[in-house]
């Protein structure tokens, strides 16, 4: 029983075979999937899809790369969507300094990030955070604006020190395909030593397919490869790693 805590099923790469993708996930034991929003449009689509499928849940959010799509209207709409039980988080939100080099636009990302943290707090929802090449500012914002919030730094790519600060703040780290790559650097060591109740697994499909699928389109069925790597690092069986990380997902998203 696996829980894919982060993927993008509304991506056009799934347009032709989404039902088969969901069937394969189920066949591989992926019984729960949280589908992220990254724009207002994809957030609406994620909710519609979740309403049509058991075990499928949605998050609503505006991704840093589309920060200018956020505003009062969207905030009002998200507040209304949150009444639906299939909405389990505000996400994917955060900062992306890899793609955004302009300082003005980085400031806009920060503003939109803080506004969505406030929204999540009002709605009593956890947050799913994207932090690419922005560890310093992400932590600073969480330290200042994260009170009363719970959430996850998805696709964790920070240092061991960053991971410890994330855990100290009560946030989880989410790991996916890159954990399985040969050039994974320090991530396997961080996961090996992590408090086991603070780690979530995810695919981030269609991106970042785990080894041995690296380079292909990713899909939730491939979550098993991430679980297998976590099991290896923790020296437990894949069933145990699945149970621990599914309980962590329960703790954050389903209680
Ligand atoms: Ni994502």
């Amino acid at each position: 029983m696996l829980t894919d805590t982060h993927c993008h099923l509304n991506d056009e790469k799934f347009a032709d075979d989404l039902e088969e993708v969901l069937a394969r996930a189920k066949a591989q034991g992926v019984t729960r999937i949280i589908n992220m929003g990254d724009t207002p449009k994809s957030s609406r689509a994620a909710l519609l899809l979740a309403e049509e499928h058991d075990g499928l849940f949605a998050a609503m959010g505006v991704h840093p790369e589309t920060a200018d799509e956020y505003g009062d209207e969207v905030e009002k709409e998200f507040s209304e969507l949150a009444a639906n039980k299939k909405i389990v988080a505000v996400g994917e939100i955060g900062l992306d300094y890899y793609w955004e080099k302009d300082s003005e636009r980085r400031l806009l990302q920060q503003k939109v990030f803080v506004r969505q943290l406030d929204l999540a707090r009002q709605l009593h929802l956890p947050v799913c955070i994207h932090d690419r090449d922005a560890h310093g500012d992400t932590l600073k914002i969480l330290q200042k604006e994260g009170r009363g919030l719970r959430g996850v730094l998805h696709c964790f790519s920070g240092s061991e020190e960053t991971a410890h600060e994330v855990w100290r703040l009560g946030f989880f780290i989410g790991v996916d395909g890159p954990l399985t790559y040969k050039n994974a650097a320090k991530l396997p060591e961080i996961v090996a030593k992590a408090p086991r109740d603070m780690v979530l697994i995810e695919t981030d499909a269609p991106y970042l397919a785990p080894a041995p699928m690296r380079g292909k389109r990713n899909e939730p069925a491939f979550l098993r490869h991430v679980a297998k790597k976590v099991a290896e690092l923790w020296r437990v069986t894949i069933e145990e790693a699945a149970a621990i990380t599914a309980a962590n997902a329960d703790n954050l998203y389903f209680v």
Side-chain angles (χ1 to χ4, degrees):
M1 304 282 243
L2 295 155
T3 304
D4 185 353
T5 57
H6 186 116
C7 63
H8 301 270
L9 297 179
N10 302 110
D11 192 284
E12 59 186 15
K13 293 192 183 74
F14 294 118
D16 293 334
D17 64 345
L18 184 58
E19 292 303 321
E20 286 124 84
V21 165
L22 290 170
R24 280 197 293 272
K26 212 170 252 176
Q28 288 297 315
V30 182
T31 52
R32 291 185 306 198
I33 298 174
I34 305 177
N35 187 21
M36 292 290 132
D38 34 39
T39 61
K41 188 169 171 242
S42 79
S43 299
R44 273 174 228 130
L47 178 56
L48 279 179
L49 193 67
E51 286 186 300
E52 290 166 3
H53 296 273
D54 285 342
L56 185 58
F57 300 86
M60 54 183 189
V62 172
H63 192 280
E65 283 175 64
T66 53
D68 42 13
E69 291 196 34
Y70 197 76
D72 294 340
E73 282 297 303
V74 173
E75 196 160 281
K76 188 166 167 278
E77 186 187 1
F78 282 176
S79 300
E80 288 161 9
L81 293 183
N84 192 306
K85 292 277 173 252
K86 283 277 183 158
I87 293 280
V88 297
V90 172
E92 164 172 7
I93 63 175
L95 303 174
D96 193 314
Y97 292 176
Y98 177 84
W99 291 110
E100 189 55 76
K101 308 290 183 202
D102 178 79
S103 58
E104 287 286 310
R105 294 194 51 85
R106 285 182 175 183
L107 278 178
L108 175 69
Q109 288 190 1
Q110 292 171 21
K111 235 169 107 179
V112 167
F113 182 28
V114 170
R115 279 189 70 173
Q116 291 181 97
L117 292 175
D118 286 337
L119 179 68
R121 188 181 303 106
Q122 283 166 33
L123 298 174
H124 305 288
L125 285 172
V127 289
C128 187
I129 296 173
H130 172 101
D131 156 25
R132 189 159 184 204
D133 289 358
H135 307 317
D137 282 349
T138 300
L139 281 183
K140 240 187 269 169
I141 287 174
L142 287 181
Q143 284 156 349
K144 193 159 168 268
E145 311 282 347
R147 68 203 167 276
L149 279 174
R150 304 180 71 218
V152 56
L153 256 74
H154 112 87
C155 196
F156 184 77
S157 59
S159 64
E160 194 172 342
E161 293 69 36
T162 301
H164 280 286
E165 182 58 13
V166 169
W167 294 322
R168 195 189 66 79
L169 291 166
F171 281 64
F172 293 76
I173 64 167
V175 294
D176 41 33
L179 181 69
T180 67
Y181 298 167
K182 283 210 174 70
N183 57 354
K186 285 195 184 139
L187 187 59
E189 197 186 318
I190 293 171
V191 171
K193 294 198 287 190
R196 291 183 184 176
D197 57 350
M198 297 307 274
V199 176
L200 297 176
I201 56 171
E202 57 181 48
T203 59
D204 206 15
Y207 315 108
L208 301 171
M213 311 297 184
R214 190 173 184 179
K216 292 191 183 153
R217 181 190 72 172
N218 196 5
E219 58 176 75
F222 299 168
L223 185 63
R224 183 159 286 275
H225 300 288
V226 179
K228 191 170 154 248
K229 184 69 193 181
V230 169
E232 247 173 67
L233 293 167
W234 287 354
R235 299 171 192 281
V236 298
T237 63
I238 184 168
E239 289 77 16
E240 285 169 321
I244 294 167
T245 52
N248 295 344
D250 272 339
N251 183 2
L252 182 61
Y253 289 119
F254 301 109
V255 281

